[in-house]
Amino acid sequence: MTTTISDTETRGDGQASDRHSVQTSDKGTTLRHTDDQSIREATICVVGLGYVGLPLAVGFAQSNYRVIGYDIDESTVEQLQAGVDTTGDLSDDSIQDGEISYTTSASQISEADYIIIAVPTPIDEDNQPDLSYIESAATTVGSKMNPGSTVILESTVYPGSTRDVLVPALEDASDLTAGEDFFVGYSPERATPGDEEHGLADVVKVVSGQNKKVLNDVATLYESVVDAGVHRAPSIEVAEACKVVENTQRDLNIAFVNELSMALERLDVDGQAVLEAAGTKWNFHDYRPGLVGGHCIPVDPYFFTYRSAQEGFEPELMQTSRKVNESVPDHVAELTIKALNECHKTLRESRVLVLGLSYKPGVGDIRSSKVEAVIDTLQEYEIDIEGFDPFVDDETIQEQFGIEAQERLSFEGVDAIMLATPHEEFEQLDLEAVSTELADDPALIDVTGALEEDAAAEAGFVYRRL
């Protein structure tokens, strides 16, 4: 049985209960934190300490909250306890900044007033959303949380997932009722790895709750750590949808310029020059062709198309955009083969050095890099591939890509250079000096057009880009 004292009711001592509510259940009585002062005194548990969860945990700790960081990965937790930033986006000093503790003990979840779940939501081999991590995390949280707790999901999901997946798992594990014994909100993550200008505090946070009271509570919590402010979504489903729509829009726009670059190449028209010319119009949106990797843009559209198809509507434009962007690695491989042929190279005797293997500049994450697909295609032609990335260790490169990793950057005897991920470290390459180390008649495949074509031609390269 559960009884609730609302904001305007009177407590047993005859005093008005201003902006607080009390829940009484079989598990005990817990004060519901709803005023600003009470929220500042709350304990927060972040479940999942990856590139989303760890910055959240650190951000709340730096804002003087007591924070518990929970993860099932013992290695991750051990490193964090030792003061090592496991994401590379923060700093070792910040890991221990404030009242924060890291643990693999689920029992500590019971100490939290707010529990934020930030676990992965990948897609499977059939491009279907995999919400098993959410179900597992919810089962763990539900078995440990106390009445009065608020659970906030940050993982990327399709609309309706909080209601249909998270809440039932929490209720089953806790034997409590959402909206009565505990409360639920959703706030989509907007983390941008490697981008120092758009951290947790700098980007407007979309928040939502199962009712107005929870929405205001969740908004107040995030307002205390997000300088850019919050946007109150009218429903959890709106907040869930906005996350996948943000990245689906980018996928659509990138697909357009990728397809455009392929079409203009066949017309023998400089695609980059076309985009620069079109960009002089005030309302033209500046997108550039490239490999579409990462954990968001190539993944989030599948969440939307999956849920939409369940309701009988196939979003064809979104699906086509995914097909276009997934075809780009093969096109980059084709550009490389054509460049080697133009240089009169025998493919099976050619050496190609790939510069940059992570999914985007400035980060070392290679787990969802589309460079791997380019390499796989080139290896089908028995081309010898070597790789170098200043952000990725050699052993990881060898294991992930199945190629030789250069410990120190060397161009000696290389037939072609592929600048796949334009880290800042590569932008100042002296192409004249580099060309003296290469084999005769070298090729340069500058995937994103980061280098000057004229400089490459003057240095004797056969130059190709998207």
Side-chain angles (χ1 to χ4, degrees):
M1 176 180 177
T2 300
T3 57
T4 300
I5 302 176
S6 69
D7 291 351
T8 56
E9 290 177 336
T10 303
R11 299 195 306 256
D13 58 7
Q15 299 297 315
S17 176
D18 184 22
R19 297 194 68 202
H20 288 84
S21 59
V22 177
Q23 284 77 39
T24 304
S25 75
D26 294 338
K27 287 192 175 183
T29 301
T30 301
L31 180 66
R32 168 97 168 116
H33 301 281
T34 54
D35 70 340
D36 293 3
Q37 183 177 356
S38 296
I39 287 177
R40 297 297 309 193
E41 298 170 355
T43 295
I44 298 169
C45 178
V46 178
V47 177
L49 299 174
Y51 77 95
V52 174
L54 184 60
L56 268 175
V58 170
F60 278 110
Q62 291 176 335
S63 296
N64 298 318
Y65 287 92
R66 176 176 177 248
V67 177
I68 300 164
Y70 170 76
D71 201 291
I72 62 174
D73 189 313
E74 293 183 1
S75 174
T76 295
V77 171
E78 286 175 359
Q79 291 182 72
L80 292 171
Q81 289 173 339
V84 177
D85 172 19
T86 53
T87 66
D89 285 330
L90 303 169
S91 69
D92 290 348
D93 290 340
S94 69
I95 298 304
Q96 301 292 345
D97 193 1
E99 190 178 354
I100 186 169
S101 60
Y102 303 101
T103 184
T104 57
S105 174
S107 63
Q108 290 191 243
I109 294 173
S110 64
E111 302 173 27
D113 303 286
Y114 295 91
I115 303 159
I116 301 175
I117 296 177
V119 295
T121 47
I123 53 176
D124 62 22
E125 294 180 354
D126 297 319
N127 296 325
Q128 303 293 297
D130 177 3
L131 302 187
S132 61
Y133 292 96
I134 290 179
E135 293 182 274
S136 178
T139 298
T140 299
V141 169
S143 68
K144 303 299 180 183
M145 70 180 183
N146 285 318
S149 300
T150 297
V151 181
I152 305 167
L153 181 62
E154 286 229 2
S155 305
T156 299
V157 294
Y158 52 78
S161 299
T162 302
R163 178 190 65 234
D164 299 335
V165 178
L166 178 71
V167 168
L170 289 170
E171 290 182 331
D172 288 346
S174 65
D175 198 26
L176 300 173
T177 301
E180 296 179 5
D181 306 313
F182 70 93
F183 308 91
V184 176
Y186 181 80
S187 180
E189 58 91 358
R190 281 177 165 172
T192 307
D195 187 344
E196 296 180 358
E197 296 182 1
H198 296 95
L200 173 64
D202 310 310
V203 180
V204 173
K205 201 83 168 70
V206 175
V207 298
S208 64
Q210 64 190 124
N211 56 46
K212 185 176 180 180
K213 189 177 186 65
V214 177
L215 171 61
N216 289 333
D217 197 13
V218 172
T220 300
L221 176 69
Y222 280 105
E223 282 173 338
S224 67
V225 295
V226 180
D227 295 338
V230 304
H231 173 85
R232 289 169 167 82
S235 70
I236 286 178
E237 289 76 17
V238 167
E240 291 170 326
C242 91
K243 174 58 170 67
V244 292
V245 167
E246 291 169 14
N247 287 315
T248 299
Q249 181 191 61
R250 294 174 67 192
D251 197 44
L252 286 163
N253 282 296
I254 297 170
F256 168 70
V257 293
N258 274 332
E259 189 170 60
L260 180 68
S261 71
M262 298 179 199
L264 290 173
E265 179 191 336
R266 283 157 178 77
L267 297 174
D268 197 25
V269 176
D270 187 335
Q272 188 166 11
V274 169
L275 291 174
E276 289 173 358
T280 61
K281 190 165 188 278
W282 60 271
N283 60 352
F284 187 82
H285 292 186
D286 186 19
Y287 284 85
R288 298 298 166 126
L291 298 166
V292 184
H295 303 282
C296 294
I297 299 178
V299 174
D300 291 4
Y302 291 119
F303 281 82
F304 193 91
T305 57
Y306 168 82
R307 186 69 185 93
S308 179
Q310 284 186 323
E311 298 302 321
F313 180 78
E314 296 284 348
E316 295 180 4
L317 182 58
M318 298 179 191
Q319 294 170 338
T320 299
S321 296
R322 279 282 70 236
K323 291 177 182 177
V324 169
N325 286 336
E326 287 297 304
S327 73
V328 174
D330 282 341
H331 182 62
V332 172
E334 181 183 354
L335 290 177
T336 306
I337 291 168
K338 287 181 176 179
L340 288 169
N341 284 332
E342 188 171 341
C343 295
H344 307 289
K345 305 290 185 179
T346 302
L347 295 183
R348 66 178 56 188
E349 296 175 3
S350 297
R351 291 178 60 204
V352 175
L353 173 61
V354 179
L355 300 181
L357 298 157
S358 59
Y359 81 91
K360 75 171 188 175
V363 303
D365 193 342
I366 62 174
R367 292 170 296 171
S368 55
S369 171
K370 294 301 180 181
V371 181
E372 182 175 9
V374 179
I375 291 173
D376 288 344
T377 300
L378 293 177
Q379 287 180 324
E380 292 178 7
Y381 292 87
E382 300 182 37
I383 297 172
D384 184 18
I385 312 291
E386 297 177 13
F388 177 81
D389 192 309
F391 292 88
V392 188
D393 64 81
D394 296 348
E395 184 178 350
T396 301
I397 291 174
Q398 292 167 354
E399 291 179 356
Q400 180 75 20
F401 298 95
I403 61 175
E404 181 181 345
Q406 288 192 359
E407 184 176 349
R408 293 184 178 181
L409 185 58
S410 172
F411 300 98
E412 185 175 356
V414 171
D415 295 291
I417 298 172
M418 179 191 297
L419 180 52
T421 306
H423 295 304
E424 186 177 348
E425 289 79 355
F426 299 140
E427 292 180 0
Q428 303 303 319
L429 281 176
D430 184 340
L431 296 179
E432 286 283 357
V434 169
S435 66
T436 63
E437 299 182 43
L438 298 166
D440 294 336
D441 302 317
L444 173 59
I445 299 85
D446 181 13
V447 175
T448 63
L451 303 176
E452 291 291 335
E453 182 175 0
D454 290 343
E458 290 175 5
F461 287 95
V462 169
Y463 181 87
R464 291 286 184 275
R465 58 170 159 75
L466 289 176

